[in-house]
mmCIF file with all atom_site columns, all heavy atoms in Angstrom:
data_model
loop_
_atom_site.group_PDB
_atom_site.id
_atom_site.type_symbol
_atom_site.label_atom_id
_atom_site.label_alt_id
_atom_site.label_comp_id
_atom_site.label_asym_id
_atom_site.label_entity_id
_atom_site.label_seq_id
_atom_site.pdbx_PDB_ins_code
_atom_site.Cartn_x
_atom_site.Cartn_y
_atom_site.Cartn_z
_atom_site.occupancy
_atom_site.B_iso_or_equiv
_atom_site.pdbx_formal_charge
_atom_site.auth_seq_id
_atom_site.auth_comp_id
_atom_site.auth_asym_id
_atom_site.auth_atom_id
_atom_site.pdbx_PDB_model_num
ATOM 1   N N   . ALA A 1 469 ? -2.662 17.918 -31.735 1.00 98.00 ? 469 ALA A N   1
ATOM 2   C CA  . ALA A 1 469 ? -1.621 18.430 -32.638 1.00 98.00 ? 469 ALA A CA  1
ATOM 3   C C   . ALA A 1 469 ? -2.067 19.719 -33.319 1.00 98.00 ? 469 ALA A C   1
ATOM 4   O O   . ALA A 1 469 ? -1.247 20.621 -33.541 1.00 98.00 ? 469 ALA A O   1
ATOM 5   C CB  . ALA A 1 469 ? -1.261 17.370 -33.676 1.00 98.00 ? 469 ALA A CB  1
ATOM 6   N N   . ILE A 1 470 ? -3.338 19.816 -33.652 1.00 98.00 ? 470 ILE A N   1
ATOM 7   C CA  . ILE A 1 470 ? -3.832 21.066 -34.246 1.00 98.00 ? 470 ILE A CA  1
ATOM 8   C C   . ILE A 1 470 ? -3.533 22.231 -33.324 1.00 98.00 ? 470 ILE A C   1
ATOM 9   O O   . ILE A 1 470 ? -3.013 23.276 -33.749 1.00 98.00 ? 470 ILE A O   1
ATOM 10  C CB  . ILE A 1 470 ? -5.346 20.978 -34.519 1.00 98.00 ? 470 ILE A CB  1
ATOM 11  C CG1 . ILE A 1 470 ? -5.640 19.951 -35.605 1.00 98.00 ? 470 ILE A CG1 1
ATOM 12  C CG2 . ILE A 1 470 ? -5.898 22.353 -34.916 1.00 98.00 ? 470 ILE A CG2 1
ATOM 13  C CD1 . ILE A 1 470 ? -7.130 19.720 -35.837 1.00 98.00 ? 470 ILE A CD1 1
ATOM 14  N N   . LEU A 1 472 ? -1.336 22.357 -30.776 1.00 98.00 ? 472 LEU A N   1
ATOM 15  C CA  . LEU A 1 472 ? 0.090  22.529 -30.513 1.00 98.00 ? 472 LEU A CA  1
ATOM 16  C C   . LEU A 1 472 ? 0.810  23.171 -31.692 1.00 98.00 ? 472 LEU A C   1
ATOM 17  O O   . LEU A 1 472 ? 1.750  23.954 -31.497 1.00 98.00 ? 472 LEU A O   1
ATOM 18  C CB  . LEU A 1 472 ? 0.718  21.178 -30.169 1.00 98.00 ? 472 LEU A CB  1
ATOM 19  C CG  . LEU A 1 472 ? 0.229  20.530 -28.868 1.00 98.00 ? 472 LEU A CG  1
ATOM 20  C CD1 . LEU A 1 472 ? 0.781  19.117 -28.726 1.00 98.00 ? 472 LEU A CD1 1
ATOM 21  C CD2 . LEU A 1 472 ? 0.600  21.367 -27.648 1.00 98.00 ? 472 LEU A CD2 1
ATOM 22  N N   . GLN A 1 473 ? 0.376  22.853 -32.897 1.00 98.00 ? 473 GLN A N   1
ATOM 23  C CA  . GLN A 1 473 ? 1.010  23.460 -34.075 1.00 98.00 ? 473 GLN A CA  1
ATOM 24  C C   . GLN A 1 473 ? 0.733  24.957 -34.152 1.00 98.00 ? 473 GLN A C   1
ATOM 25  O O   . GLN A 1 473 ? 1.517  25.717 -34.712 1.00 98.00 ? 473 GLN A O   1
ATOM 26  C CB  . GLN A 1 473 ? 0.535  22.745 -35.336 1.00 98.00 ? 473 GLN A CB  1
ATOM 27  C CG  . GLN A 1 473 ? 1.119  21.343 -35.473 1.00 98.00 ? 473 GLN A CG  1
ATOM 28  C CD  . GLN A 1 473 ? 0.454  20.507 -36.556 1.00 98.00 ? 473 GLN A CD  1
ATOM 29  O OE1 . GLN A 1 473 ? -0.304 21.024 -37.384 1.00 98.00 ? 473 GLN A OE1 1
ATOM 30  N NE2 . GLN A 1 473 ? 0.731  19.205 -36.559 1.00 98.00 ? 473 GLN A NE2 1
ATOM 31  N N   . LYS A 1 474 ? -0.369 25.388 -33.557 1.00 97.00 ? 474 LYS A N   1
ATOM 32  C CA  . LYS A 1 474 ? -0.685 26.811 -33.497 1.00 97.00 ? 474 LYS A CA  1
ATOM 33  C C   . LYS A 1 474 ? -0.018 27.483 -32.301 1.00 97.00 ? 474 LYS A C   1
ATOM 34  O O   . LYS A 1 474 ? 0.160  28.708 -32.285 1.00 97.00 ? 474 LYS A O   1
ATOM 35  C CB  . LYS A 1 474 ? -2.201 26.997 -33.406 1.00 97.00 ? 474 LYS A CB  1
ATOM 36  C CG  . LYS A 1 474 ? -2.978 26.573 -34.639 1.00 97.00 ? 474 LYS A CG  1
ATOM 37  C CD  . LYS A 1 474 ? -4.472 26.607 -34.361 1.00 97.00 ? 474 LYS A CD  1
ATOM 38  C CE  . LYS A 1 474 ? -5.276 26.160 -35.572 1.00 97.00 ? 474 LYS A CE  1
ATOM 39  N NZ  . LYS A 1 474 ? -5.394 27.234 -36.583 1.00 97.00 ? 474 LYS A NZ  1
ATOM 40  N N   . ALA A 1 475 ? 0.336  26.695 -31.292 1.00 97.00 ? 475 ALA A N   1
ATOM 41  C CA  . ALA A 1 475 ? 0.892  27.250 -30.054 1.00 97.00 ? 475 ALA A CA  1
ATOM 42  C C   . ALA A 1 475 ? 2.398  27.457 -30.114 1.00 97.00 ? 475 ALA A C   1
ATOM 43  O O   . ALA A 1 475 ? 2.980  28.046 -29.206 1.00 97.00 ? 475 ALA A O   1
ATOM 44  C CB  . ALA A 1 475 ? 0.558  26.333 -28.870 1.00 97.00 ? 475 ALA A CB  1
ATOM 45  N N   . VAL A 1 476 ? 3.052  26.966 -31.180 1.00 97.00 ? 476 VAL A N   1
ATOM 46  C CA  . VAL A 1 476 ? 4.494  27.137 -31.315 1.00 97.00 ? 476 VAL A CA  1
ATOM 47  C C   . VAL A 1 476 ? 4.806  28.257 -32.300 1.00 97.00 ? 476 VAL A C   1
ATOM 48  O O   . VAL A 1 476 ? 3.969  28.629 -33.135 1.00 97.00 ? 476 VAL A O   1
ATOM 49  C CB  . VAL A 1 476 ? 5.188  25.831 -31.770 1.00 97.00 ? 476 VAL A CB  1
ATOM 50  C CG1 . VAL A 1 476 ? 4.995  24.730 -30.738 1.00 97.00 ? 476 VAL A CG1 1
ATOM 51  C CG2 . VAL A 1 476 ? 4.671  25.383 -33.139 1.00 97.00 ? 476 VAL A CG2 1
ATOM 52  N N   . THR A 1 477 ? 6.007  28.784 -32.167 1.00 96.00 ? 477 THR A N   1
ATOM 53  C CA  . THR A 1 477 ? 6.469  29.829 -33.080 1.00 96.00 ? 477 THR A CA  1
ATOM 54  C C   . THR A 1 477 ? 7.871  29.475 -33.562 1.00 96.00 ? 477 THR A C   1
ATOM 55  O O   . THR A 1 477 ? 8.635  28.808 -32.851 1.00 96.00 ? 477 THR A O   1
ATOM 56  C CB  . THR A 1 477 ? 6.467  31.204 -32.374 1.00 96.00 ? 477 THR A CB  1
ATOM 57  O OG1 . THR A 1 477 ? 6.778  32.224 -33.313 1.00 96.00 ? 477 THR A OG1 1
ATOM 58  C CG2 . THR A 1 477 ? 7.470  31.232 -31.236 1.00 96.00 ? 477 THR A CG2 1
ATOM 59  N N   . GLY A 1 481 ? 14.578 28.632 -36.680 1.00 95.00 ? 481 GLY A N   1
ATOM 60  C CA  . GLY A 1 481 ? 14.429 27.306 -37.267 1.00 95.00 ? 481 GLY A CA  1
ATOM 61  C C   . GLY A 1 481 ? 13.905 26.249 -36.319 1.00 95.00 ? 481 GLY A C   1
ATOM 62  O O   . GLY A 1 481 ? 13.730 25.096 -36.715 1.00 95.00 ? 481 GLY A O   1
ATOM 63  N N   . LYS A 1 482 ? 13.644 26.619 -35.064 1.00 97.00 ? 482 LYS A N   1
ATOM 64  C CA  . LYS A 1 482 ? 13.088 25.679 -34.088 1.00 97.00 ? 482 LYS A CA  1
ATOM 65  C C   . LYS A 1 482 ? 11.654 26.093 -33.768 1.00 97.00 ? 482 LYS A C   1
ATOM 66  O O   . LYS A 1 482 ? 11.349 27.278 -33.638 1.00 97.00 ? 482 LYS A O   1
ATOM 67  C CB  . LYS A 1 482 ? 13.940 25.645 -32.820 1.00 97.00 ? 482 LYS A CB  1
ATOM 68  C CG  . LYS A 1 482 ? 15.353 25.131 -33.043 1.00 97.00 ? 482 LYS A CG  1
ATOM 69  C CD  . LYS A 1 482 ? 16.136 25.142 -31.742 1.00 97.00 ? 482 LYS A CD  1
ATOM 70  C CE  . LYS A 1 482 ? 17.505 24.496 -31.909 1.00 97.00 ? 482 LYS A CE  1
ATOM 71  N NZ  . LYS A 1 482 ? 18.345 25.184 -32.912 1.00 97.00 ? 482 LYS A NZ  1
ATOM 72  N N   . TYR A 1 483 ? 10.788 25.092 -33.621 1.00 98.00 ? 483 TYR A N   1
ATOM 73  C CA  . TYR A 1 483 ? 9.393  25.372 -33.289 1.00 98.00 ? 483 TYR A CA  1
ATOM 74  C C   . TYR A 1 483 ? 9.228  25.279 -31.777 1.00 98.00 ? 483 TYR A C   1
ATOM 75  O O   . TYR A 1 483 ? 9.268  24.189 -31.194 1.00 98.00 ? 483 TYR A O   1
ATOM 76  C CB  . TYR A 1 483 ? 8.470  24.404 -34.012 1.00 98.00 ? 483 TYR A CB  1
ATOM 77  C CG  . TYR A 1 483 ? 8.374  24.701 -35.488 1.00 98.00 ? 483 TYR A CG  1
ATOM 78  C CD1 . TYR A 1 483 ? 9.200  24.040 -36.399 1.00 98.00 ? 483 TYR A CD1 1
ATOM 79  C CD2 . TYR A 1 483 ? 7.494  25.664 -35.966 1.00 98.00 ? 483 TYR A CD2 1
ATOM 80  C CE1 . TYR A 1 483 ? 9.130  24.320 -37.756 1.00 98.00 ? 483 TYR A CE1 1
ATOM 81  C CE2 . TYR A 1 483 ? 7.429  25.964 -37.315 1.00 98.00 ? 483 TYR A CE2 1
ATOM 82  C CZ  . TYR A 1 483 ? 8.242  25.295 -38.208 1.00 98.00 ? 483 TYR A CZ  1
ATOM 83  O OH  . TYR A 1 483 ? 8.174  25.593 -39.536 1.00 98.00 ? 483 TYR A OH  1
ATOM 84  N N   . LEU A 1 484 ? 9.033  26.425 -31.144 1.00 98.00 ? 484 LEU A N   1
ATOM 85  C CA  . LEU A 1 484 ? 9.026  26.508 -29.685 1.00 98.00 ? 484 LEU A CA  1
ATOM 86  C C   . LEU A 1 484 ? 7.683  27.026 -29.188 1.00 98.00 ? 484 LEU A C   1
ATOM 87  O O   . LEU A 1 484 ? 7.069  27.906 -29.808 1.00 98.00 ? 484 LEU A O   1
ATOM 88  C CB  . LEU A 1 484 ? 10.136 27.451 -29.201 1.00 98.00 ? 484 LEU A CB  1
ATOM 89  C CG  . LEU A 1 484 ? 11.550 27.158 -29.704 1.00 98.00 ? 484 LEU A CG  1
ATOM 90  C CD1 . LEU A 1 484 ? 12.526 28.180 -29.130 1.00 98.00 ? 484 LEU A CD1 1
ATOM 91  C CD2 . LEU A 1 484 ? 11.985 25.737 -29.362 1.00 98.00 ? 484 LEU A CD2 1
ATOM 92  N N   . GLN A 1 515 ? 8.289  21.327 -24.757 1.00 98.00 ? 515 GLN A N   1
ATOM 93  C CA  . GLN A 1 515 ? 8.888  20.816 -26.002 1.00 98.00 ? 515 GLN A CA  1
ATOM 94  C C   . GLN A 1 515 ? 8.873  19.296 -26.056 1.00 98.00 ? 515 GLN A C   1
ATOM 95  O O   . GLN A 1 515 ? 8.605  18.697 -27.104 1.00 98.00 ? 515 GLN A O   1
ATOM 96  C CB  . GLN A 1 515 ? 10.316 21.342 -26.152 1.00 98.00 ? 515 GLN A CB  1
ATOM 97  C CG  . GLN A 1 515 ? 10.415 22.845 -26.321 1.00 98.00 ? 515 GLN A CG  1
ATOM 98  C CD  . GLN A 1 515 ? 9.614  23.377 -27.486 1.00 98.00 ? 515 GLN A CD  1
ATOM 99  O OE1 . GLN A 1 515 ? 8.763  24.245 -27.320 1.00 98.00 ? 515 GLN A OE1 1
ATOM 100 N NE2 . GLN A 1 515 ? 9.875  22.860 -28.675 1.00 98.00 ? 515 GLN A NE2 1
ATOM 101 N N   . ILE A 1 518 ? 5.171  18.155 -26.608 1.00 98.00 ? 518 ILE A N   1
ATOM 102 C CA  . ILE A 1 518 ? 4.758  18.416 -27.983 1.00 98.00 ? 518 ILE A CA  1
ATOM 103 C C   . ILE A 1 518 ? 5.382  17.365 -28.906 1.00 98.00 ? 518 ILE A C   1
ATOM 104 O O   . ILE A 1 518 ? 4.727  16.819 -29.799 1.00 98.00 ? 518 ILE A O   1
ATOM 105 C CB  . ILE A 1 518 ? 5.156  19.838 -28.406 1.00 98.00 ? 518 ILE A CB  1
ATOM 106 C CG1 . ILE A 1 518 ? 4.372  20.878 -27.599 1.00 98.00 ? 518 ILE A CG1 1
ATOM 107 C CG2 . ILE A 1 518 ? 4.901  20.044 -29.905 1.00 98.00 ? 518 ILE A CG2 1
ATOM 108 C CD1 . ILE A 1 518 ? 4.876  22.298 -27.776 1.00 98.00 ? 518 ILE A CD1 1
ATOM 109 N N   . TYR A 1 519 ? 6.671  17.076 -28.684 1.00 98.00 ? 519 TYR A N   1
ATOM 110 C CA  . TYR A 1 519 ? 7.356  16.055 -29.472 1.00 98.00 ? 519 TYR A CA  1
ATOM 111 C C   . TYR A 1 519 ? 6.637  14.713 -29.331 1.00 98.00 ? 519 TYR A C   1
ATOM 112 O O   . TYR A 1 519 ? 6.394  14.023 -30.342 1.00 98.00 ? 519 TYR A O   1
ATOM 113 C CB  . TYR A 1 519 ? 8.803  15.925 -29.022 1.00 98.00 ? 519 TYR A CB  1
ATOM 114 C CG  . TYR A 1 519 ? 9.625  14.981 -29.871 1.00 98.00 ? 519 TYR A CG  1
ATOM 115 C CD1 . TYR A 1 519 ? 10.420 15.453 -30.903 1.00 98.00 ? 519 TYR A CD1 1
ATOM 116 C CD2 . TYR A 1 519 ? 9.585  13.612 -29.657 1.00 98.00 ? 519 TYR A CD2 1
ATOM 117 C CE1 . TYR A 1 519 ? 11.161 14.589 -31.702 1.00 98.00 ? 519 TYR A CE1 1
ATOM 118 C CE2 . TYR A 1 519 ? 10.314 12.728 -30.436 1.00 98.00 ? 519 TYR A CE2 1
ATOM 119 C CZ  . TYR A 1 519 ? 11.101 13.220 -31.459 1.00 98.00 ? 519 TYR A CZ  1
ATOM 120 O OH  . TYR A 1 519 ? 11.817 12.352 -32.249 1.00 98.00 ? 519 TYR A OH  1
ATOM 121 N N   . HIS A 1 522 ? 3.319  14.725 -31.284 1.00 98.00 ? 522 HIS A N   1
ATOM 122 C CA  . HIS A 1 522 ? 3.541  14.688 -32.736 1.00 98.00 ? 522 HIS A CA  1
ATOM 123 C C   . HIS A 1 522 ? 4.037  13.302 -33.179 1.00 98.00 ? 522 HIS A C   1
ATOM 124 O O   . HIS A 1 522 ? 3.585  12.764 -34.204 1.00 98.00 ? 522 HIS A O   1
ATOM 125 C CB  . HIS A 1 522 ? 4.576  15.745 -33.146 1.00 98.00 ? 522 HIS A CB  1
ATOM 126 C CG  . HIS A 1 522 ? 4.020  17.138 -33.258 1.00 98.00 ? 522 HIS A CG  1
ATOM 127 N ND1 . HIS A 1 522 ? 2.859  17.527 -32.650 1.00 98.00 ? 522 HIS A ND1 1
ATOM 128 C CD2 . HIS A 1 522 ? 4.486  18.236 -33.910 1.00 98.00 ? 522 HIS A CD2 1
ATOM 129 C CE1 . HIS A 1 522 ? 2.620  18.798 -32.929 1.00 98.00 ? 522 HIS A CE1 1
ATOM 130 N NE2 . HIS A 1 522 ? 3.599  19.257 -33.690 1.00 98.00 ? 522 HIS A NE2 1
ATOM 131 N N   . VAL A 1 538 ? -2.450 18.129 -41.063 1.00 98.00 ? 538 VAL A N   1
ATOM 132 C CA  . VAL A 1 538 ? -2.018 18.145 -39.660 1.00 98.00 ? 538 VAL A CA  1
ATOM 133 C C   . VAL A 1 538 ? -0.938 17.100 -39.435 1.00 98.00 ? 538 VAL A C   1
ATOM 134 O O   . VAL A 1 538 ? 0.090  17.356 -38.795 1.00 98.00 ? 538 VAL A O   1
ATOM 135 C CB  . VAL A 1 538 ? -3.219 17.917 -38.720 1.00 98.00 ? 538 VAL A CB  1
ATOM 136 C CG1 . VAL A 1 538 ? -2.754 17.848 -37.260 1.00 98.00 ? 538 VAL A CG1 1
ATOM 137 C CG2 . VAL A 1 538 ? -4.256 19.020 -38.899 1.00 98.00 ? 538 VAL A CG2 1
ATOM 138 N N   . VAL A 1 539 ? -1.149 15.908 -39.956 1.00 98.00 ? 539 VAL A N   1
ATOM 139 C CA  . VAL A 1 539 ? -0.154 14.840 -39.829 1.00 98.00 ? 539 VAL A CA  1
ATOM 140 C C   . VAL A 1 539 ? 1.137  15.238 -40.522 1.00 98.00 ? 539 VAL A C   1
ATOM 141 O O   . VAL A 1 539 ? 2.244  15.055 -39.966 1.00 98.00 ? 539 VAL A O   1
ATOM 142 C CB  . VAL A 1 539 ? -0.702 13.525 -40.401 1.00 98.00 ? 539 VAL A CB  1
ATOM 143 C CG1 . VAL A 1 539 ? 0.381  12.443 -40.389 1.00 98.00 ? 539 VAL A CG1 1
ATOM 144 C CG2 . VAL A 1 539 ? -1.925 13.056 -39.620 1.00 98.00 ? 539 VAL A CG2 1
ATOM 145 N N   . GLU A 1 540 ? 1.029  15.786 -41.705 1.00 98.00 ? 540 GLU A N   1
ATOM 146 C CA  . GLU A 1 540 ? 2.238  16.152 -42.446 1.00 98.00 ? 540 GLU A CA  1
ATOM 147 C C   . GLU A 1 540 ? 2.976  17.308 -41.765 1.00 98.00 ? 540 GLU A C   1
ATOM 148 O O   . GLU A 1 540 ? 4.211  17.355 -41.781 1.00 98.00 ? 540 GLU A O   1
ATOM 149 C CB  . GLU A 1 540 ? 1.882  16.504 -43.890 1.00 98.00 ? 540 GLU A CB  1
ATOM 150 C CG  . GLU A 1 540 ? 1.360  15.316 -44.695 1.00 98.00 ? 540 GLU A CG  1
ATOM 151 C CD  . GLU A 1 540 ? 2.254  14.094 -44.576 1.00 98.00 ? 540 GLU A CD  1
ATOM 152 O OE1 . GLU A 1 540 ? 3.478  14.220 -44.772 1.00 98.00 ? 540 GLU A OE1 1
ATOM 153 O OE2 . GLU A 1 540 ? 1.733  13.002 -44.269 1.00 98.00 ? 540 GLU A OE2 1
ATOM 154 N N   . GLU A 1 541 ? 2.226  18.225 -41.166 1.00 98.00 ? 541 GLU A N   1
ATOM 155 C CA  . GLU A 1 541 ? 2.891  19.311 -40.431 1.00 98.00 ? 541 GLU A CA  1
ATOM 156 C C   . GLU A 1 541 ? 3.592  18.756 -39.197 1.00 98.00 ? 541 GLU A C   1
ATOM 157 O O   . GLU A 1 541 ? 4.680  19.228 -38.823 1.00 98.00 ? 541 GLU A O   1
ATOM 158 C CB  . GLU A 1 541 ? 1.869  20.377 -40.034 1.00 98.00 ? 541 GLU A CB  1
ATOM 159 C CG  . GLU A 1 541 ? 2.445  21.562 -39.254 1.00 98.00 ? 541 GLU A CG  1
ATOM 160 C CD  . GLU A 1 541 ? 3.454  22.382 -40.039 1.00 98.00 ? 541 GLU A CD  1
ATOM 161 O OE1 . GLU A 1 541 ? 3.571  22.197 -41.281 1.00 98.00 ? 541 GLU A OE1 1
ATOM 162 O OE2 . GLU A 1 541 ? 4.135  23.230 -39.424 1.00 98.00 ? 541 GLU A OE2 1
ATOM 163 N N   . ALA A 1 542 ? 2.997  17.742 -38.561 1.00 98.00 ? 542 ALA A N   1
ATOM 164 C CA  . ALA A 1 542 ? 3.671  17.104 -37.431 1.00 98.00 ? 542 ALA A CA  1
ATOM 165 C C   . ALA A 1 542 ? 4.980  16.466 -37.880 1.00 98.00 ? 542 ALA A C   1
ATOM 166 O O   . ALA A 1 542 ? 6.012  16.584 -37.191 1.00 98.00 ? 542 ALA A O   1
ATOM 167 C CB  . ALA A 1 542 ? 2.759  16.055 -36.806 1.00 98.00 ? 542 ALA A CB  1
ATOM 168 N N   . ARG A 1 543 ? 4.972  15.792 -39.020 1.00 98.00 ? 543 ARG A N   1
ATOM 169 C CA  . ARG A 1 543 ? 6.218  15.215 -39.548 1.00 98.00 ? 543 ARG A CA  1
ATOM 170 C C   . ARG A 1 543 ? 7.257  16.315 -39.764 1.00 98.00 ? 543 ARG A C   1
ATOM 171 O O   . ARG A 1 543 ? 8.435  16.144 -39.478 1.00 98.00 ? 543 ARG A O   1
ATOM 172 C CB  . ARG A 1 543 ? 5.949  14.511 -40.876 1.00 98.00 ? 543 ARG A CB  1
ATOM 173 C CG  . ARG A 1 543 ? 5.127  13.265 -40.826 1.00 98.00 ? 543 ARG A CG  1
ATOM 174 C CD  . ARG A 1 543 ? 5.109  12.610 -42.200 1.00 98.00 ? 543 ARG A CD  1
ATOM 175 N NE  . ARG A 1 543 ? 3.962  11.739 -42.379 1.00 98.00 ? 543 ARG A NE  1
ATOM 176 C CZ  . ARG A 1 543 ? 3.940  10.453 -42.013 1.00 98.00 ? 543 ARG A CZ  1
ATOM 177 N NH1 . ARG A 1 543 ? 4.995  9.923  -41.445 1.00 98.00 ? 543 ARG A NH1 1
ATOM 178 N NH2 . ARG A 1 543 ? 2.851  9.732  -42.223 1.00 98.00 ? 543 ARG A NH2 1
ATOM 179 N N   . ARG A 1 544 ? 6.795  17.431 -40.314 1.00 97.00 ? 544 ARG A N   1
ATOM 180 C CA  . ARG A 1 544 ? 7.721  18.510 -40.641 1.00 97.00 ? 544 ARG A CA  1
ATOM 181 C C   . ARG A 1 544 ? 8.288  19.168 -39.388 1.00 97.00 ? 544 ARG A C   1
ATOM 182 O O   . ARG A 1 544 ? 9.467  19.527 -39.341 1.00 97.00 ? 544 ARG A O   1
ATOM 183 C CB  . ARG A 1 544 ? 6.996  19.553 -41.504 1.00 97.00 ? 544 ARG A CB  1
ATOM 184 C CG  . ARG A 1 544 ? 7.924  20.583 -42.142 1.00 97.00 ? 544 ARG A CG  1
ATOM 185 C CD  . ARG A 1 544 ? 7.149  21.527 -43.028 1.00 97.00 ? 544 ARG A CD  1
ATOM 186 N NE  . ARG A 1 544 ? 6.346  22.438 -42.245 1.00 97.00 ? 544 ARG A NE  1
ATOM 187 C CZ  . ARG A 1 544 ? 6.814  23.570 -41.697 1.00 97.00 ? 544 ARG A CZ  1
ATOM 188 N NH1 . ARG A 1 544 ? 8.089  23.890 -41.841 1.00 97.00 ? 544 ARG A NH1 1
ATOM 189 N NH2 . ARG A 1 544 ? 6.015  24.352 -41.019 1.00 97.00 ? 544 ARG A NH2 1
ATOM 190 N N   . GLN A 1 545 ? 7.465  19.315 -38.359 1.00 98.00 ? 545 GLN A N   1
ATOM 191 C CA  . GLN A 1 545 ? 7.920  19.997 -37.156 1.00 98.00 ? 545 GLN A CA  1
ATOM 192 C C   . GLN A 1 545 ? 8.801  19.119 -36.267 1.00 98.00 ? 545 GLN A C   1
ATOM 193 O O   . GLN A 1 545 ? 9.652  19.636 -35.529 1.00 98.00 ? 545 GLN A O   1
ATOM 194 C CB  . GLN A 1 545 ? 6.723  20.483 -36.335 1.00 98.00 ? 545 GLN A CB  1
ATOM 195 C CG  . GLN A 1 545 ? 6.009  21.683 -36.910 1.00 98.00 ? 545 GLN A CG  1
ATOM 196 C CD  . GLN A 1 545 ? 4.955  22.243 -35.974 1.00 98.00 ? 545 GLN A CD  1
ATOM 197 O OE1 . GLN A 1 545 ? 4.805  21.796 -34.834 1.00 98.00 ? 545 GLN A OE1 1
ATOM 198 N NE2 . GLN A 1 545 ? 4.217  23.238 -36.451 1.00 98.00 ? 545 GLN A NE2 1
ATOM 199 N N   . LEU A 1 546 ? 8.602  17.809 -36.324 1.00 97.00 ? 546 LEU A N   1
ATOM 200 C CA  . LEU A 1 546 ? 9.299  16.913 -35.388 1.00 97.00 ? 546 LEU A CA  1
ATOM 201 C C   . LEU A 1 546 ? 10.808 17.151 -35.307 1.00 97.00 ? 546 LEU A C   1
ATOM 202 O O   . LEU A 1 546 ? 11.355 17.276 -34.201 1.00 97.00 ? 546 LEU A O   1
ATOM 203 C CB  . LEU A 1 546 ? 9.019  15.450 -35.754 1.00 97.00 ? 546 LEU A CB  1
ATOM 204 C CG  . LEU A 1 546 ? 7.841  14.786 -35.043 1.00 97.00 ? 546 LEU A CG  1
ATOM 205 C CD1 . LEU A 1 546 ? 7.528  13.432 -35.672 1.00 97.00 ? 546 LEU A CD1 1
ATOM 206 C CD2 . LEU A 1 546 ? 8.120  14.625 -33.550 1.00 97.00 ? 546 LEU A CD2 1
ATOM 207 N N   . PRO A 1 547 ? 11.535 17.231 -36.411 1.00 97.00 ? 547 PRO A N   1
ATOM 208 C CA  . PRO A 1 547 ? 12.990 17.423 -36.292 1.00 97.00 ? 547 PRO A CA  1
ATOM 209 C C   . PRO A 1 547 ? 13.388 18.789 -35.753 1.00 97.00 ? 547 PRO A C   1
ATOM 210 O O   . PRO A 1 547 ? 14.562 19.002 -35.448 1.00 97.00 ? 547 PRO A O   1
ATOM 211 C CB  . PRO A 1 547 ? 13.481 17.252 -37.739 1.00 97.00 ? 547 PRO A CB  1
ATOM 212 C CG  . PRO A 1 547 ? 12.354 16.645 -38.496 1.00 97.00 ? 547 PRO A CG  1
ATOM 213 C CD  . PRO A 1 547 ? 11.116 17.086 -37.816 1.00 97.00 ? 547 PRO A CD  1
ATOM 214 N N   . HIS A 1 548 ? 12.426 19.699 -35.622 1.00 97.00 ? 548 HIS A N   1
ATOM 215 C CA  . HIS A 1 548 ? 12.746 21.072 -35.227 1.00 97.00 ? 548 HIS A CA  1
ATOM 216 C C   . HIS A 1 548 ? 12.169 21.435 -33.856 1.00 97.00 ? 548 HIS A C   1
ATOM 217 O O   . HIS A 1 548 ? 12.140 22.615 -33.499 1.00 97.00 ? 548 HIS A O   1
ATOM 218 C CB  . HIS A 1 548 ? 12.203 22.039 -36.283 1.00 97.00 ? 548 HIS A CB  1
ATOM 219 C CG  . HIS A 1 548 ? 12.656 21.727 -37.673 1.00 97.00 ? 548 HIS A CG  1
ATOM 220 N ND1 . HIS A 1 548 ? 13.949 21.972 -38.109 1.00 97.00 ? 548 HIS A ND1 1
ATOM 221 C CD2 . HIS A 1 548 ? 12.001 21.151 -38.711 1.00 97.00 ? 548 HIS A CD2 1
ATOM 222 C CE1 . HIS A 1 548 ? 14.062 21.577 -39.369 1.00 97.00 ? 548 HIS A CE1 1
ATOM 223 N NE2 . HIS A 1 548 ? 12.899 21.074 -39.760 1.00 97.00 ? 548 HIS A NE2 1
ATOM 224 N N   . LEU A 1 549 ? 11.742 20.448 -33.084 1.00 97.00 ? 549 LEU A N   1
ATOM 225 C CA  . LEU A 1 549 ? 11.163 20.736 -31.765 1.00 97.00 ? 549 LEU A CA  1
ATOM 226 C C   . LEU A 1 549 ? 12.215 20.834 -30.669 1.00 97.00 ? 549 LEU A C   1
ATOM 227 O O   . LEU A 1 549 ? 11.957 21.386 -29.603 1.00 97.00 ? 549 LEU A O   1
ATOM 228 C CB  . LEU A 1 549 ? 10.123 19.666 -31.410 1.00 97.00 ? 549 LEU A CB  1
ATOM 229 C CG  . LEU A 1 549 ? 8.824  19.748 -32.214 1.00 97.00 ? 549 LEU A CG  1
ATOM 230 C CD1 . LEU A 1 549 ? 7.939  18.532 -31.957 1.00 97.00 ? 549 LEU A CD1 1
ATOM 231 C CD2 . LEU A 1 549 ? 8.063  21.019 -31.917 1.00 97.00 ? 549 LEU A CD2 1
ATOM 232 N N   . ASP A 1 550 ? 13.388 20.271 -30.923 1.00 96.00 ? 550 ASP A N   1
ATOM 233 C CA  . ASP A 1 550 ? 14.523 20.430 -30.005 1.00 96.00 ? 550 ASP A CA  1
ATOM 234 C C   . ASP A 1 550 ? 14.116 20.156 -28.558 1.00 96.00 ? 550 ASP A C   1
ATOM 235 O O   . ASP A 1 550 ? 14.211 21.025 -27.696 1.00 96.00 ? 550 ASP A O   1
ATOM 236 C CB  . ASP A 1 550 ? 15.074 21.850 -30.148 1.00 96.00 ? 550 ASP A CB  1
ATOM 237 C CG  . ASP A 1 550 ? 16.501 21.979 -29.593 1.00 96.00 ? 550 ASP A CG  1
ATOM 238 O OD1 . ASP A 1 550 ? 17.214 20.966 -29.574 1.00 96.00 ? 550 ASP A OD1 1
ATOM 239 O OD2 . ASP A 1 550 ? 16.867 23.091 -29.177 1.00 96.00 ? 550 ASP A OD2 1
#
Side-chain angles (χ1 to χ4, degrees):
I470 293 175
L472 295 173
Q473 288 168 13
K474 293 172 181 281
V476 298
T477 186
K482 296 179 174 60
Y483 287 94
L484 306 180
Q515 295 304 124
I518 294 170
Y519 185 96
H522 280 20
V538 177
V539 175
E540 294 310 310
E541 180 63 12
R543 291 187 203 273
R544 192 177 72 83
Q545 286 188 5
L546 267 170
H548 306 286
L549 288 171
D550 199 26

